[in-house]
Amino acid sequence: MSKVALLAAVSAVLVLGACEKHKRPAPMEPIAAPIYVEPVSSKSKY
């Protein structure tokens, strides 16, 4: 019985390790530039 448990534990570690190896890292999103709007005067000559 202990051989079966040992085999199951080793195979579980191998399967989880293989799955972890194939994971792709999350893509990094570029940092957005701050939005700047020039102030507009409400009192205009025109």
Side-chain angles (χ1 to χ4, degrees), residues 9-23:
V10 169
S11 59
V13 168
L14 289 176
V15 169
L16 292 175
C19 290
E20 189 68 28
K21 185 178 180 181
H22 290 292
K23 271 189 181 177

Side-chain angles (χ1 to χ4, degrees), residues 18-40:
C19 290
E20 189 68 28
K21 185 178 180 181
H22 290 292
K23 271 189 181 177
R24 295 179 187 258
M28 295 196 57
E29 296 181 13
I31 299 172
I35 299 172
Y36 177 73
V37 179
E38 292 189 23
V40 179

Side-chain angles (χ1 to χ4, degrees), residues 1-14:
M1 184 68 178
S2 65
K3 288 183 181 180
V4 174
L6 181 62
L7 181 63
V10 169
S11 59
V13 168
L14 289 176

